[in-house]
Amino acid sequence: MKKFEDKISKLALFFILYTLGFIIFFKTLPYTVPFVLAALFALILRKPTKYLIKSFKLKDSLASIITTLLFFSILIITITILIGSLSSQIVNLTKNIQEYLSKNPGDLVTKFTEIQDYFYNLDIDPVIISSIQNATSGSISKIVNISVSVGSSVVTFVLSVASYIPYMLMIIIFTLLTTYFFTKKFATSDSRDLMSSLPLENNSFFVIFAKVRHKLITYGISYMLLILMSFIITLIGFTIFRVKYALILSMLCALLDLLPVLGMPMIYIPLIIYNLLIGNHLVAIGLLIWYVIVFITRQIIEPKVMSTSLGLNPVAVLAAIFIGLKANGVSGMFFCMFMVVFYAIFKEEGIL
């Protein structure tokens, strides 16, 4: 009985401390973001900087400057190109949708009339047909409103970003400088030297820190690979079926894929409906089949990749994702995933 009470006490303490740590970290993130980003970037640049020091006999300060400036140059150029391309393509896409809906109302009415006649011929209950008509008309107005709001939202977002340019420049400068100092420190020290500066440094703490870092890095890489896989498969499908804006739509699918189950249908379903309305039934059926392929592939591979990278039971990974999303969306998913990771590590170390 006492062992059971001790175990419950430890679990309760773990949950409270983890929750407090999670909340404090994300609540203070607006104030600490340059230093958090700098630490992550420095970890990425550690090995390239060490390589320059050893291979070309450069001073640690010069090697750190080279890797930091090169990394930030590539990062800023890539982000600038992506934001410009995304903004331009989204505006053009929403503009074309609005033009099509305004110039072809007759075709749309004809298509929906044909659909209504089809349901009438099936001798379905009139109440059900009336519900379908109301839902259809509501969907059309929603599509128009969404297409208008998306276009205006992009313009508003660009303007709001422009107003934050001074703040963003300050973050970039602080992150750049801090990354340089962190990279210089990380490149000239091994992991234990870095941990020795912490007041809590001991063997157990070092092992836990190393395991958490390893699992989180492998988790991040694994999830990025899954998103890249979804992007490539989607791009191949859109290219085969000659979907306009294939690249930008595939990128949007990859970004929306961060929202499991609900994300990618936000792109696929409107495309399928659009092709049905304009008479491209073969393309619509092909896109539907292709989405099913992407969905099934993702559902089969994701639990295996996540469980392999985190060293966890696939059921625990799925439960963490589902419960987190249901509780509080994406932030809830990360909360549950990290909690499962920390719990597994503490259990391995005999702390829980």
Side-chain angles (χ1 to χ4, degrees):
M1 186 67 181
K2 182 159 179 66
K3 286 185 178 180
F4 178 76
E5 290 178 354
D6 289 343
K7 189 171 182 63
I8 294 297
S9 299
K10 287 181 179 180
L11 287 174
L13 182 62
F14 163 74
F15 180 77
I16 292 170
L17 292 176
Y18 168 77
T19 303
L20 286 174
F22 187 89
I23 292 172
I24 291 171
F25 175 78
F26 283 99
K27 288 293 184 181
T28 59
L29 195 58
Y31 308 99
T32 60
V33 64
F35 310 103
V36 173
L37 289 176
L40 292 175
F41 294 159
L43 287 173
I44 295 172
L45 297 175
R46 184 184 178 192
K47 288 187 177 180
T49 306
K50 276 189 170 184
Y51 175 79
L52 290 179
I53 294 172
K54 290 181 179 180
S55 300
F56 298 96
K57 308 300 180 184
L58 298 179
K59 291 184 177 180
D60 52 358
S61 56
L62 180 58
S64 300
I65 289 174
I66 292 173
T67 54
T68 302
L69 291 179
L70 185 61
F71 177 79
F72 270 82
S73 298
I74 295 172
L75 187 64
I76 291 172
I77 291 171
T78 303
I79 291 174
T80 303
I81 292 173
L82 285 177
I83 291 176
S85 177
L86 280 171
S87 301
S88 175
Q89 292 289 323
I90 290 173
V91 169
N92 289 333
L93 178 60
T94 53
K95 182 180 177 182
N96 289 337
I97 291 173
Q98 294 169 34
E99 287 180 356
Y100 177 82
L101 292 175
S102 61
K103 291 181 181 178
N104 300 280
D107 292 342
L108 293 174
V109 172
T110 302
K111 290 295 180 184
F112 284 111
T113 303
E114 291 176 358
I115 294 172
Q116 291 175 11
D117 292 339
Y118 173 76
F119 283 113
Y120 276 120
N121 293 331
L122 292 177
D123 195 23
I124 298 176
D125 191 330
V127 176
I128 297 176
I129 294 175
S130 177
S131 299
I132 293 173
Q133 289 175 342
N134 293 333
T136 304
S137 60
S139 298
I140 294 173
S141 61
K142 285 181 180 179
I143 290 171
V144 175
N145 292 334
I146 289 172
S147 64
V148 173
S149 63
V150 168
S152 60
S153 297
V154 171
V155 176
T156 305
F157 173 74
V158 172
L159 293 175
S160 64
V161 168
S163 66
Y164 279 99
I165 285 177
Y167 173 72
M168 294 170 67
L169 285 174
M170 184 177 68
I171 289 180
I172 291 172
I173 292 171
F174 273 90
T175 305
L176 176 63
L177 293 173
T178 311
T179 301
Y180 161 72
F181 289 114
F182 281 179
T183 302
K184 182 180 176 183
K185 177 67 176 176
F186 290 2
T188 55
S189 308
D190 60 31
S191 299
R192 290 188 178 272
D193 290 336
L194 293 172
M195 294 299 296
S196 63
S197 60
L198 295 174
L200 297 174
E201 196 273 332
N202 55 59
N203 187 59
S204 179
F205 182 77
F206 173 79
V207 171
I208 292 172
F209 176 82
K211 286 186 176 181
V212 169
R213 185 185 64 179
H214 173 71
K215 285 186 181 292
L216 293 182
I217 290 174
T218 53
Y219 171 77
I221 293 173
S222 300
Y223 211 83
M224 289 300 106
L225 288 175
L226 285 173
I227 292 174
L228 180 62
M229 179 195 72
S230 299
F231 167 73
I232 293 173
I233 295 176
T234 300
L235 181 60
I236 291 172
F238 286 178
T239 304
I240 291 173
F241 296 111
R242 297 183 180 180
V243 175
K244 290 184 178 180
Y245 308 103
L247 180 60
I248 186 65
L249 290 176
S250 299
M251 290 174 65
L252 286 174
C253 278
L255 292 174
L256 291 171
D257 200 29
L258 292 169
L259 303 172
V261 182
L262 299 175
M264 296 185 73
M266 295 173 67
I267 301 296
Y268 272 90
I269 291 175
L271 281 175
I272 292 169
I273 294 173
Y274 170 75
N275 281 282
L276 283 174
L277 292 176
I278 64 174
N280 290 339
H281 300 103
L282 184 62
V283 173
I285 294 171
L287 287 173
L288 178 61
I289 295 172
W290 201 261
Y291 170 70
V292 172
I293 292 172
V294 175
F295 178 79
I296 292 175
T297 304
R298 177 67 188 264
Q299 297 307 310
I300 292 173
I301 293 177
E302 180 175 6
K304 293 183 178 179
V305 172
M306 291 295 102
S307 61
T308 301
S309 62
L310 295 175
L312 302 173
N313 189 299
V315 177
V317 176
L318 287 175
I321 293 173
F322 177 79
I323 294 172
L325 286 171
K326 185 68 176 176
N328 199 33
V330 176
S331 60
M333 181 185 72
F334 283 117
F335 174 84
C336 291
M337 286 296 302
F338 291 154
M339 183 171 64
V340 170
V341 170
F342 279 101
Y343 174 79
I345 293 171
F346 288 162
K347 192 173 181 181
E348 284 180 14
E349 295 302 309
I351 298 174
L352 293 176

